[in-house]
Amino acid sequence: MNNSKYSNIILLFTIVAFIFLISYTYSNVEYLKVNYNVNILYTAFIFGVISCIILLVTNSKLKFYVSLTIFYIVFSAYSINAIIYYLFVRGDADEVKKIAIKENVNYDDRTRYEVLRDYRNTGISAYASMNAIHWEQDGIKTSDGRYVFPVSGIPNAFTVYCNESGYFAKYLSDKHGFNNVLNVFERLNDIVLIGDSFTEGACEYPSDNVSGQLQKYGWKVANLGKDSNGPLINMATIREYGFFLSPKTVLYLYYEGNELTDLELEYKSSHWINYFDSDYTQKLLNKNNKIEYLLKDLHDQLYVNHFPSPKGSEFTLPHFIKLRWLRRQLNPPKYKISTKTKHLFKKMLLTTKNDIKKWGGRLYVVYLPSYTRINNNLDDSFMSRNEVLKILKQLDINVIDFLPAIVSLQDPLSIFPFRRYAHYNKYGYELLASRINEYFKK
């Protein structure tokens, strides 16, 4: 009798949880479908509800065993989630703050949401850095019913970026939404940069990122990098903005930590593969006013509903309920490039290289190693570095390899904030710019 009673309670709670998940999915469908197949989520949750109801009205031993299994799975998952947070996530964040205090760094421990709120409370229209992750699956619907897929951030916006060195990097984006100090779209440029957050300049001020450091050597640089932009979006960026700028040199800053996984994610969108057609373009260059309006509107929707979530190092009940830290541990990076991804990467490089050749420019790849490689002294099989370099050689694309410059340092980890896992700090970007400058000055 008691077993049946406890089983019924567990099953009722499980049904309520599934109904909540269905409701949550419905109310947040636009946000969730960026990373998940919403139809599969609905199917799984509805199946769970029906299965629990069937078990609830039966008196079989199966009900007891199923409910007991559900209890142990849920209890174990949340216990492991809590252990991961307190031992690794919170502990690492606390360690960084201790290092900052020891090094006399005035560490800003506010969340990005709090920074945005503080600016807006003083009348400054600040915006968080946005990227294609927010719209890459379905685009953004315009007033005429069509969809647009921006490759940049919010145009003409005071942008609050990230904090890894103790302060939040901030910049005023140009009229097309990129992190450029000057209006680079109204001058001739020697170099155009494409890539992800390492190219955009996370998490340093514009004068200290790789673009700013290169300009100190006298180069005229247009920075078209954007955080989370993978290979296909970089290909699109060249098509949309590269032809207008037509520089002699395009540097594709390839960050080994996520470039290939980003490629696989982008391929899931039916949109970005359109750029393999040499005639395809969205004409984004002429839509900057529309993009500014759409992205600022989307930002403020997310600002209200999602941006209030604090940093991953800070505990909140929603993060705990969603098993945030356990899910991150269960989704490790891939270390081996598949045949399909290899073919896709080659096709992307050839398409981009051919586009650049049309205006007489040349594509170079700058290979950026990750903290994980440097910290663990990993060989060339890590993140398929050997395969990537082989592909670049086959396609006759020159490589500027940043790895030798890093490992030659007395303290290679000094190019990372507080010597921890992160983007490069300003000294890392300075070293990178020096390496690029030396390559072209030879």
Side-chain angles (χ1 to χ4, degrees):
M1 178 69 181
N2 284 336
N3 286 344
S4 179
K5 179 181 178 181
Y6 292 135
S7 297
N8 289 341
I9 291 173
I10 292 172
L11 289 171
L12 282 171
F13 270 110
T14 305
I15 290 170
V16 171
F18 277 126
I19 292 174
F20 168 78
L21 289 171
I22 292 170
S23 174
Y24 178 84
T25 302
Y26 178 78
S27 60
N28 294 274
V29 63
E30 293 298 322
Y31 181 74
L32 289 172
K33 67 184 181 182
V34 170
N35 295 310
Y36 304 99
N37 187 318
V38 176
N39 291 328
I40 292 178
L41 292 179
Y42 279 134
T43 302
F45 298 153
I46 293 172
F47 177 79
V49 170
I50 294 173
S51 299
C52 288
I53 291 174
I54 293 173
L55 288 170
L56 195 63
V57 298
T58 65
N59 291 313
S60 65
K61 288 185 178 180
L62 180 63
K63 176 168 70 174
F64 170 72
Y65 290 122
V66 170
S67 60
L68 191 64
T69 301
I70 292 173
F71 173 78
Y72 278 119
I73 289 174
V74 172
F75 178 80
S76 300
Y78 280 104
S79 297
I80 294 171
N81 188 53
I83 291 170
I84 291 172
Y85 169 75
Y86 281 102
L87 289 184
F88 300 104
V89 181
R90 180 175 177 177
D92 189 66
D94 291 342
E95 183 66 22
V96 168
K97 292 177 184 177
K98 290 178 181 178
I99 295 172
I101 293 173
K102 187 176 180 180
E103 296 182 2
N104 295 318
V105 174
N106 186 17
Y107 196 93
D108 187 344
D109 61 359
R110 291 178 296 171
T111 67
R112 184 166 60 171
Y113 169 73
E114 290 169 339
V115 176
L116 292 171
R117 180 198 62 195
D118 291 346
Y119 273 119
R120 292 195 169 196
N121 284 343
T122 60
I124 298 175
S125 297
Y127 293 86
S129 175
M130 294 186 69
N131 55 55
I133 284 179
H134 297 99
W135 57 79
E136 70 178 344
Q137 293 296 324
D138 297 306
I140 305 173
K141 192 173 184 179
T142 62
S143 57
D144 59 7
R146 299 181 180 182
Y147 289 84
V148 64
F149 292 76
V151 299
S152 65
I154 305 174
N156 302 312
F158 177 67
T159 305
V160 177
Y161 207 179
C162 46
N163 176 5
E164 291 179 347
S165 296
Y167 48 83
F168 281 89
K170 297 171 279 287
Y171 66 87
L172 180 63
S173 62
D174 65 29
K175 65 181 181 180
H176 292 292
F178 296 104
N179 182 3
N180 286 299
V181 179
L182 302 173
N183 193 345
V184 298
F185 286 89
E186 295 179 359
R187 72 176 189 190
L188 294 175
N189 292 280
D190 304 310
I191 299 172
V192 160
L193 305 179
I194 57 173
D196 61 7
S197 50
F198 281 81
T199 310
E200 185 179 13
C203 297
E204 299 294 340
Y205 286 104
S207 60
D208 293 326
N209 64 27
V210 64
S211 175
Q213 300 282 3
L214 281 171
Q215 291 183 73
K216 294 175 184 177
Y217 287 103
W219 298 102
K220 294 180 179 178
V221 183
N223 186 352
L224 302 186
K226 188 74 197 113
D227 62 284
S228 298
N229 279 9
L232 297 187
I233 301 181
N234 286 318
M235 175 177 67
T237 302
I238 286 298
R239 183 74 54 78
E240 297 294 345
Y241 299 100
F243 276 94
F244 178 81
L245 294 169
S246 295
K248 291 182 179 179
T249 301
V250 173
L251 299 183
Y252 170 23
L253 275 61
Y254 175 98
Y255 172 63
E256 67 175 1
N258 52 30
E259 205 76 13
L260 298 178
T261 52
D262 284 349
L263 175 60
E264 293 171 358
L265 287 173
E266 291 171 354
Y267 187 67
K268 292 179 181 179
S269 168
S270 60
H271 173 73
W272 303 115
I273 59 176
N274 290 328
Y275 284 92
F276 286 130
D277 178 351
S278 60
D279 295 323
Y280 179 80
T281 176
Q282 296 183 77
K283 295 183 171 61
L284 296 181
L285 194 71
N286 301 321
K287 297 178 180 177
N288 53 311
N289 291 333
K290 180 182 290 187
I291 290 172
E292 179 179 354
Y293 170 79
L294 290 170
L295 292 190
K296 284 183 176 178
D297 180 65
L298 177 61
H299 173 278
D300 286 347
Q301 292 178 41
L302 295 173
Y303 176 82
V304 173
N305 297 318
H306 298 288
F307 283 160
S309 298
K311 295 174 288 188
S313 59
E314 196 167 321
F315 181 88
T316 66
L317 186 58
H319 285 166
F320 182 74
I321 292 173
K322 295 175 186 178
L323 297 171
R324 178 187 182 102
W325 303 286
L326 175 60
R327 288 189 291 110
R328 286 186 172 183
Q329 292 299 315
L330 293 176
N331 187 30
K334 295 183 179 179
Y335 300 104
K336 188 68 177 176
I337 185 171
S338 67
T339 302
K340 180 180 178 181
T341 303
K342 189 186 301 184
H343 171 74
L344 197 59
F345 186 53
K346 282 184 178 179
K347 191 174 181 180
M348 168 266 164
L349 288 169
L350 274 174
T351 302
T352 305
K353 180 181 177 181
N354 289 334
D355 276 352
I356 294 168
K357 284 175 66 176
K358 288 177 182 177
W359 72 68
R362 185 167 184 178
L363 173 65
Y364 299 80
V365 169
V366 183
Y367 194 100
L368 306 181
S370 65
Y371 174 91
T372 304
R373 174 183 297 284
I374 305 302
N375 187 47
N376 298 286
N377 193 28
L378 298 174
D379 62 28
D380 281 358
S381 65
F382 176 71
M383 286 301 179
S384 299
R385 170 181 159 88
N386 48 3
E387 292 288 338
V388 170
L389 294 177
K390 183 179 178 180
I391 290 171
L392 293 169
K393 185 176 181 179
Q394 289 172 348
L395 299 180
D396 192 28
I397 297 175
N398 287 359
V399 178
I400 303 172
D401 193 354
F402 190 35
L403 181 59
I406 297 175
V407 297
S408 67
L409 296 173
Q410 186 174 356
D411 179 11
L413 294 182
S414 64
I415 69 167
F416 299 97
F418 305 112
R419 305 180 76 254
R420 317 289 286 193
Y421 180 88
H423 295 86
Y424 304 145
N425 56 27
K426 62 181 179 180
Y427 304 111
Y429 288 126
E430 182 180 1
L431 181 65
L432 175 58
S434 173
R435 174 73 184 91
I436 294 171
N437 182 64
E438 287 174 5
Y439 180 89
F440 287 108
K441 290 294 185 182
K442 285 191 299 185

